[in-house]
Amino acid sequence: MTLLYLLLYFFQGPIIFSFGGWVYFHGLCVTLLTVVTLSLDFYLIQTQKDKRLLKIMIRFFLWVFFLVVLGYQEVYQTALTFEIVFYFLNHIDHLYSDILNFFYQWQVWQWITLGMGFLVLFFKNRKIVTYVLLFGLIFVLVLRFDSERKKTSIHLNTNTNQQISRGKNFLESIPGRPNFVLVMLEGVGRKHLVKTKSNYIDFSVLQDSHFWIPMPHTSKSIFTWLTGDSQLQTTRLSFNDSLLQLNLPKQLENLYGYETFMIYTQSLYFEGMDHFFPQIFQTVKDKSYLEEKYGKLYPTFSWGMDDRVVLSAMKQMFGAEKKPLFVLIGLSQTHSPYFVANENSQSQWDSPLIRYEASLREELAVIDSIISYWKDNSSRDTVLILTADHGESFGEEGAHAHNYSLYNQETDVPFLLYFIKSGQIYVPKLGTSVDFKDTILHLLETDSGKTKNNLEANFFHPNYQPNLFLKTWNSEIQKSWVIKDKKYIYHSDRDQLIQMDWSEKQRVPITDSRLKQKIKNQIYSGMY
């Protein structure tokens, strides 16, 4: 058993044939766990042989726990740290629901490795066990090598020639004081929404656009949307008096007389969101309120509740309009484990991607109900702003869920303006959530009041160019830079810098040491 532990420790890691990758994935947390596990296993072997079955069960639990910890690094492609462990323990009431999805992502070689530990502990015939272990180790190495080869290979995506309907790319201003309804999808990348349509919007209009967020994590992302501050150097929300005033809801309230509302089907009592959002919105209703008021009508799950509750909340909250409204609606069904209201017991065992797509189809109906409500109940023009906090990975580049990949499936989100009265759609060719606040304020300004600084940050202007730094949440695994017509991703674990186009179809590893260091310096200087 000791040999198995040591083999896993020394040869474990998403990039097992890179020394830099080995160092990255064998930090203090994993090394300490290995030492403690080996010590406990040795102690149980050396103690007296009474209660043999109990000791075997404890040793098997240690083996499973060890594989789960190392499996976290395999599935989520990042090093396990004490910060991540404490995060999991603090929020286990939310995160427990992702355990099934976590095991679903295990590869064949991981299950075989689990079985080898079971064999060593429970079978007495040492000769048979030895032969099976030798065969199993060879098989695992073959599968492992093939897995790493696929993860590190560069995939070229094929272009599609399908004809799509197009929205307008440029917008000079938004006259009057319309209602703004910002609908924030949970974990929906542009690549997943572009294939769908609702009764009002054909999302193929997003086909040729790119809109990036700096960190694929919910609380940090929503904070950036509203403040323009990405705060890549921190993993939790950090704000001062300036950010409490110079955010979008407060600016709309103070400069243009808007009433501001936040309806969020997840809980704000998570990562400090309850300390910030209630201070910048006049009215905030989150899962705790919605569950208390409408819990008998709509089911809940670990992260949120049935997003159809939003329609009931809007009917109760909004009456006769005296002032223009800014309403942030944060949805939750497409957060893992991907809640599906109309599922049966059999569909609960579908793959995460199938469940995700089913929950997304239900979200399209929710979007339609939101549009229908404002279409029928508001005399004032209403602009629906549809976007997402981040995307979601389903095995692309070896990543799953979100937080630890900066490729487009997690960082390129949908973004469009839908004018509900006219049905007109505006889709910027390029944009970032860092520039969202300034863009909206710029569009509301009169021509005489528009500043050059705001103009440069307006992604509906023809000369707009993105300049965005990106980073993985609570992790140094990847850093990225979107500038002019290029995107760079730096893989810290294997010291690899890749240059690509916005669509990530054309990828070139940068091998020139001077150029590589120059770009890395730019990324680090812009990030910290």
Side-chain angles (χ1 to χ4, degrees):
M1 200 66 182
T2 301
L3 179 61
L4 285 177
Y5 279 120
L6 292 174
L7 284 172
L8 271 181
Y9 175 75
F10 284 110
F11 294 100
Q12 177 273 341
I15 313 297
I16 58 174
F17 300 112
S18 161
F19 179 72
W22 189 93
V23 172
Y24 180 83
F25 287 102
H26 292 75
L28 180 60
C29 185
V30 172
T31 300
L32 184 61
L33 169 70
T34 304
V35 172
V36 171
T37 302
L38 281 171
S39 300
L40 287 174
D41 191 69
F42 180 78
Y43 171 77
L44 291 170
I45 293 173
Q46 297 302 316
T47 54
Q48 295 180 359
K49 296 187 177 181
D50 57 330
K51 300 182 180 178
R52 180 177 179 276
L53 182 59
L54 177 62
K55 291 177 183 177
I56 290 177
M57 295 303 295
I58 294 174
R59 292 180 67 199
F60 185 66
F61 171 81
L62 288 173
W63 174 246
V64 173
F65 181 72
F66 190 75
L67 286 183
V68 165
V69 169
L70 299 187
Y72 180 91
Q73 299 193 146
E74 293 287 344
V75 169
Y76 297 111
Q77 296 288 290
T78 195
L80 187 69
T81 63
F82 288 111
E83 288 81 4
I84 293 175
V85 173
F86 295 146
Y87 178 84
F88 177 82
L89 295 175
N90 287 336
H91 304 296
I92 194 169
D93 54 330
H94 292 286
L95 294 168
Y96 78 90
S97 59
D98 287 332
I99 292 175
L100 183 62
N101 285 352
F102 165 72
F103 283 111
Y104 192 96
Q105 308 301 342
W106 273 29
Q107 299 178 51
V108 173
W109 71 264
Q110 290 171 282
W111 291 108
I112 292 175
T113 305
L114 178 66
M116 286 194 294
F118 180 87
L119 192 70
V120 170
L121 290 171
F122 288 95
F123 282 77
K124 296 180 180 180
N125 191 320
R126 296 292 102 182
K127 189 174 181 180
I128 294 178
V129 168
T130 301
Y131 284 126
V132 172
L133 283 180
L134 285 174
F135 176 79
L137 286 171
I138 295 171
F139 192 49
V140 163
L141 286 174
V142 171
L143 290 174
R144 189 67 195 272
F145 179 82
D146 184 63
S147 172
E148 295 303 326
R149 181 184 59 79
K150 290 177 180 178
K151 286 179 187 176
T152 56
S153 63
I154 294 176
H155 302 283
L156 296 178
N157 300 318
T158 56
N159 288 313
T160 57
N161 295 319
Q162 64 183 70
Q163 289 234 320
I164 60 171
S165 57
R166 297 182 183 275
K168 295 182 178 180
N169 297 129
F170 307 118
L171 181 62
E172 292 185 3
S173 64
I174 298 178
R177 297 290 179 264
N179 297 323
F180 287 107
V181 180
L182 172 58
V183 176
M184 187 77 66
L185 293 165
E186 168 61 60
V188 178
R190 184 179 60 85
K191 66 174 284 186
H192 287 111
L193 193 63
V194 76
K195 305 171 185 176
T196 68
K197 63 174 64 176
S198 75
N199 290 333
Y200 292 99
I201 303 173
D202 182 350
F203 294 108
S204 63
V205 296
L206 299 166
Q207 182 71 45
D208 295 323
S209 68
H210 294 282
F211 202 100
W212 291 280
I213 49 97
M215 183 177 286
H217 187 73
T218 299
S219 60
K220 293 302 296 290
S221 183
I222 299 177
F223 182 86
T224 300
W225 279 100
L226 298 178
T227 65
D229 190 347
S230 57
Q231 295 188 345
L232 297 180
Q233 70 277 13
T234 64
T235 59
R236 300 291 183 271
L237 306 188
S238 176
F239 53 90
N240 51 29
D241 290 340
S242 176
L243 287 175
L244 286 173
Q245 293 302 318
L246 299 179
N247 55 74
L248 183 58
K250 280 295 183 185
Q251 293 280 80
L252 291 175
E253 177 189 347
N254 296 332
L255 297 178
Y256 301 107
Y258 274 74
E259 291 187 70
T260 61
F261 297 82
M262 181 177 187
I263 305 173
Y264 193 50
T265 62
Q266 297 182 47
S267 174
L268 282 179
Y269 296 95
F270 189 66
E271 299 185 346
M273 290 191 289
D274 58 315
H275 297 302
F276 181 70
F277 295 124
Q279 293 195 66
I280 68 173
F281 286 93
Q282 294 170 316
T283 303
V284 174
K285 306 295 184 185
D286 76 336
K287 178 187 176 184
S288 58
Y289 169 85
L290 298 173
E291 194 171 14
E292 180 180 349
K293 190 165 184 67
Y294 305 107
K296 294 181 179 179
L297 300 174
Y298 302 99
T300 63
F301 69 110
S302 56
W303 282 98
M305 61 188 304
D306 187 335
D307 284 323
R308 291 177 296 180
V309 70
V310 166
L311 187 61
S312 297
M314 289 192 302
K315 290 178 179 177
Q316 184 262 329
M317 293 172 66
F318 306 125
E321 298 175 22
K322 295 181 180 179
K323 296 181 178 181
L325 307 179
F326 174 71
V327 184
L328 168 60
I329 299 176
L331 304 178
S332 63
Q333 281 187 231
T334 41
H335 193 295
S336 58
Y338 317 121
F339 175 79
V340 183
N342 296 320
E343 71 179 352
N344 53 42
S345 58
Q346 182 65 34
S347 65
Q348 293 179 13
W349 298 98
D350 286 337
S351 73
L353 180 58
I354 291 176
R355 287 179 54 79
Y356 175 82
E357 291 173 340
S359 67
L360 181 55
R361 287 193 294 271
E362 291 192 352
E363 291 288 54
L364 298 179
V366 172
I367 293 170
D368 281 342
S369 71
I370 293 172
I371 293 174
S372 295
Y373 172 84
W374 292 99
K375 192 179 186 72
D376 297 338
N377 293 280
S378 178
S379 58
R380 188 185 295 270
D381 197 5
T382 299
V383 181
L384 179 85
I385 306 171
L386 184 67
T387 188
D389 55 353
H390 53 76
E392 195 84 344
S393 291
F394 291 94
E396 303 94 332
E397 320 299 335
H400 297 275
H402 56 270
N403 289 332
Y404 305 124
S405 174
L406 299 181
Y407 285 89
N408 278 352
Q409 72 267 6
E410 288 191 34
T411 58
D412 187 354
V413 298
F415 183 90
L416 61 81
L417 303 186
Y418 178 75
F419 285 73
I420 289 180
K421 278 191 174 182
S422 66
Q424 184 62 60
I425 298 175
Y426 289 85
V427 180
K429 286 189 174 183
L430 301 168
T432 76
S433 60
V434 169
D435 295 322
F436 171 69
K437 181 193 76 170
D438 285 344
T439 296
I440 294 299
L441 293 176
H442 170 82
L443 293 174
L444 286 173
E445 289 178 344
T446 61
D447 289 337
S448 60
K450 292 180 179 178
T451 64
K452 181 180 180 181
N453 184 52
N454 277 349
L455 191 61
E456 292 174 349
N458 176 13
F459 46 67
F460 278 112
H461 191 274
N463 296 328
Y464 173 83
Q465 289 289 339
N467 184 14
L468 181 70
F469 296 96
L470 304 87
K471 182 180 177 294
T472 45
W473 173 80
N474 209 359
S475 166
E476 298 293 328
I477 183 93
Q478 291 177 20
K479 300 172 184 66
S480 181
W481 184 24
V482 177
I483 179 69
K484 294 184 178 178
D485 60 345
K486 294 181 176 63
K487 179 177 180 180
Y488 299 95
I489 294 183
Y490 175 62
H491 290 260
S492 303
D493 58 320
R494 54 182 182 260
D495 191 28
Q496 183 182 38
L497 179 66
I498 302 175
Q499 175 184 300
M500 57 194 76
D501 60 351
W502 290 327
S503 66
E504 301 181 347
K505 294 175 182 176
Q506 300 176 357
R507 307 180 187 181
V508 180
I510 295 179
T511 55
D512 182 278
S513 59
R514 290 186 179 181
L515 177 60
K516 179 179 177 181
Q517 190 60 49
K518 180 181 178 180
I519 295 172
K520 283 173 59 178
N521 290 342
Q522 288 279 359
I523 292 175
Y524 278 93
S525 63
M527 195 169 292
Y528 299 107

